[in-house]
């Protein structure tokens, strides 16, 4: 929301845009009011010769002619491109109209006073003040306002005709009341229309804001969003998470065999399935890298035991491999690696922001994934010790990981020939530990 200062926007540029946009929306109503004003002046011009003495009629005709000229010029000015940037046009025209109508009223009042008429035309102005209040109060309810106006007209006519006043006064009172009532009806409609525009705009903005909020929270954790809004750096440390790295087997060869559209369909099916599994098991999706899927248990999304959540997620993903392949019409194989340890998470950069994680734990998980059997899971010793659900994992193996060295790894999945016996280099760890 734009900051305000003394009833105006603090930013002069914003204030200027607000004024111009408001004036642009009011242009149709200004034209309607101008035309109504000209019609009322014409009505007076037609009635005056029948009610006024020649001298008084001549003076009123001059003032009304000038009034028509100014009102016409006012309406014409609204078609000028620079009108919305020049509020002085409204001010000048309204001042001139006020002076001219004042002169017309002076002449009419002098005539009515000379014939000793009751000045019901003057009293009508007081009723129109209440009518103006009703027009604003009952905005956006034109039928209710017209009903109220009808009741007021009946009451007013009863007062006018009650004492049999001079005919000239009745005509001028009718002209004053009808002209004012017509303007009030136009004001009631204008306020209703503008209010509906504002409401529709606010509703549309709320819908778009909701979509944007959902999109932002889909990309960033809620806590990170709040920090970014406050202008704070997003940097978090997590002491114990389990990183899951999933890769599709033989993706490069597959990409050469199938069409790009078929490949995108396959990846979309795989990633959507992984997303559903992540939501089901309380695992946070971090990102996709080509055909690889990276997720974390125990980071921004709370879970009990991060290792158990990661393993359960991995098993759920593997359970859908056959269905993914059936839908895509090709054989699909996945390898999954899991490693537990500390990571650092945060948001870097100002464009295409995404919450990411860094640290050695991430690298080891990716390296362990490469040792997993096809459609199987490989976990590090640290994850194995952290997990309570170890049922499917066999004996430990020593794997030489690039950039890491010899690492104790446990496998679960299709049996491999050398998975049937424990590694002699790791006598202290057994499946029953």
């Amino acid at each position: 929301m734009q900051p305000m200062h003394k009833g105006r926007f603090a930013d002069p540029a914003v204030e200027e845009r607000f004024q111009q946009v408001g004036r642009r929306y009011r242009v149709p109503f200004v034209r309607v009011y101008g035309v109504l004003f000209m019609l009322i002046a014409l009505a007076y011009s037609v009635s005056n010769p029948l009610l006024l003495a020649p001298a008084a009629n001549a003076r009123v005709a001059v003032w009304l002619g000038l009034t028509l000229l100014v009102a016409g010029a006012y309406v014409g000015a609204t078609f000028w491109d620079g009108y919305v940037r020049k509020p002085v046009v409204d001010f000048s025209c309204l001042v001139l109209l006020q002076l001219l109508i004042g002169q017309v009223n002076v002449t009419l009042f002098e005539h009515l006073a000379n014939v000793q008429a009751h000045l019901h035309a003057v009293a009508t102005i007081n009723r129109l003040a209440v009518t103006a209040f009703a027009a604003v109060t009952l905005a956006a309810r034109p039928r209710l306002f017209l009903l109220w106006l009808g009741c007021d007209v009946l009451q007013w006519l009863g007062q006018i005709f009650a004492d049999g006043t001079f005919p000239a006064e009745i005509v001028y009172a009718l002209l004053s009341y009808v002209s004012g009532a017509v303007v009030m009806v136009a004001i009631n409609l204008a306020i209703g229309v503008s209010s509906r525009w504002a409401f529709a705009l606010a509703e549309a903005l709320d819908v778009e804001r909701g979509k944007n909020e959902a999109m932002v929270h889909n990309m960033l954790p809620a806590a990170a969003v709040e920090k970014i809004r406050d202008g704070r750096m997003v940097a978090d440390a997590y002491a114990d998470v389990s990183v899951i790295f999933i890769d599709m087997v033989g993706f490069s060869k597959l990409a050469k065999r199938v069409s790009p559209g078929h490949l995108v369909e396959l990846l979309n099916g795989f990633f959507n399935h992984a997303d559903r599994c992540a939501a089901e098991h309380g695992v946070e999706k971090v990102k996709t890298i080509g055909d690889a899927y990276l997720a974390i248990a125990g980071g921004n999304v709370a879970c009990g035991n991060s290792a158990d959540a990661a393993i359960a997620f991995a098993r759920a993903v593997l359970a859908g491999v056959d269905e993914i392949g059936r839908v895509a019409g090709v054989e699909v194989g996945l390898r999954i690696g899991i490693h537990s340890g500390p990571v650092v998470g945060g948001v870097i950069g100002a464009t295409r922001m995404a919450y990411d994680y860094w640290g050695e734990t991430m690298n080891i998980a990716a390296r362990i994934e490469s040792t997993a059997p096809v459609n199987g899971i490989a976990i590090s010793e640290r994850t194995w010790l952290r997990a309570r659900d170890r049922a499917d994992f066999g004996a430990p193996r020593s794997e030489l990981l690039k950039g890491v060295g010899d690492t104790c790894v446990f496998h679960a999945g299709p049996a491999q020939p050398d998975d049937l016996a424990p590694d002699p280099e790791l006598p202290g760890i057994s499946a029953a530990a």
Side-chain angles (χ1 to χ4, degrees):
M1 182 176 178
Q2 292 290 342
M4 306 285 287
H5 178 67
K6 295 183 178 179
R8 296 168 62 89
F9 289 110
D11 187 343
V14 174
E15 176 68 21
E16 181 63 22
R17 288 200 306 274
F18 163 74
Q19 294 290 349
Q20 292 189 20
V21 170
R23 284 172 58 76
R24 188 175 293 110
Y25 280 126
R26 289 192 294 269
V27 164
F29 304 118
V30 171
R31 291 171 183 168
V32 170
Y33 297 150
V35 172
L36 288 176
F37 199 85
M38 294 170 69
L39 293 174
I40 293 169
L42 287 173
Y44 273 86
S45 299
V46 172
S47 303
N48 286 336
L50 305 175
L51 304 171
L52 297 178
N57 180 53
R59 291 198 303 273
V60 172
V62 171
W63 296 123
L64 287 176
L66 292 174
T67 299
L68 285 169
L69 182 63
V70 173
Y74 189 11
V75 173
T78 61
F79 292 93
W80 172 43
D81 291 339
Y83 167 74
V84 295
R85 300 189 301 273
K86 302 293 183 181
V88 68
V89 174
D90 297 294
F91 179 81
S92 302
C93 291
L94 291 173
V95 167
L96 289 173
L97 290 173
Q98 183 184 46
L99 293 174
L100 292 170
I101 293 302
Q103 292 299 318
V104 171
N105 287 334
V106 167
T107 304
L108 293 179
F109 292 164
E110 287 178 352
H111 172 73
L112 293 174
N114 289 335
V115 298
Q116 298 181 346
H118 300 289
L119 298 182
H120 285 301
V122 177
T124 299
I125 303 301
N126 296 328
R127 299 188 70 88
L128 290 177
V130 180
T131 306
F133 182 71
V136 175
T137 304
L138 299 177
R141 295 186 177 272
R143 294 182 181 178
L144 194 60
F145 175 67
L146 290 175
L147 178 61
W148 178 90
L149 193 60
C151 295
D152 187 61
V153 168
L154 293 176
Q155 182 187 14
W156 178 76
L157 288 176
Q159 293 176 352
I160 288 291
F161 290 104
D163 56 358
T165 53
F166 185 72
E169 182 184 0
I170 294 176
V171 174
Y172 283 123
L174 282 171
L175 284 172
S176 297
Y177 186 84
V178 171
S179 60
V182 169
V183 171
M184 295 307 167
V185 170
I187 290 175
N188 177 265
L189 293 175
I191 294 176
V193 171
S194 60
S195 298
R196 292 181 188 279
W197 283 350
F199 179 79
L201 179 60
E203 287 281 283
L205 288 175
D206 285 342
V207 171
E208 290 301 317
R209 187 180 296 112
K211 291 180 180 178
N212 291 337
E213 286 286 323
M215 186 179 300
V216 169
H217 284 90
N218 187 43
M219 296 185 297
L220 299 172
V225 173
E226 293 302 320
K227 290 181 179 179
I228 292 173
R229 284 175 175 167
D230 296 340
R232 291 179 288 164
M233 179 181 294
V234 183
D236 307 303
Y238 301 90
D240 184 21
V241 303
S242 293
V243 180
I244 310 104
F245 199 92
I246 309 175
D247 194 24
M248 189 173 291
V249 179
F251 179 78
S252 298
K253 294 181 179 179
L254 184 63
K256 296 176 181 179
R257 294 166 47 204
V258 302
S259 66
H262 192 180
L263 193 65
V264 170
E265 180 183 348
L266 171 61
L267 287 176
N268 191 53
F270 164 42
F271 292 150
N272 285 341
H273 169 63
D275 287 345
R276 288 190 294 268
C277 294
E280 180 181 350
H281 294 279
V283 170
E284 176 188 357
K285 173 185 178 180
V286 179
K287 60 185 174 181
T288 59
I289 311 169
D291 63 316
Y293 188 98
L294 178 61
I296 279 187
N300 283 294
V301 178
C303 67
N305 185 312
S306 67
D308 283 341
I311 293 171
F313 162 69
R315 287 170 175 162
V317 172
L318 289 177
V321 167
D322 292 340
E323 179 63 16
I324 296 172
R326 186 190 67 78
V327 173
V330 295
E331 185 177 352
V332 176
L334 300 177
R335 286 193 176 97
I336 302 179
I338 304 174
H339 179 57
S340 302
V343 296
V344 174
V347 178
I348 294 178
T351 60
R352 294 193 177 185
M353 291 184 293
Y355 195 95
D356 205 350
Y357 292 89
W358 303 274
E360 187 181 16
T361 302
M362 310 295 292
N363 298 328
I364 294 177
R367 297 286 185 247
I368 288 176
E369 173 272 319
S370 64
T371 71
V374 176
N375 291 332
I377 307 170
I379 64 174
S380 67
E381 181 183 14
R382 187 177 294 179
T383 301
W384 188 86
L385 292 171
R386 181 78 171 84
R388 292 187 296 266
D389 185 6
R390 310 168 179 172
D392 296 339
F393 293 94
R397 292 168 49 88
S398 179
E399 298 283 356
L400 180 61
L401 304 183
K402 182 180 178 181
V404 179
D406 288 329
T407 304
C408 180
V409 178
F410 294 80
H411 289 166
Q416 303 296 320
D418 52 354
D419 289 339
L420 301 178
D423 193 312
E425 297 294 328
L426 302 167
I429 299 178
S430 68

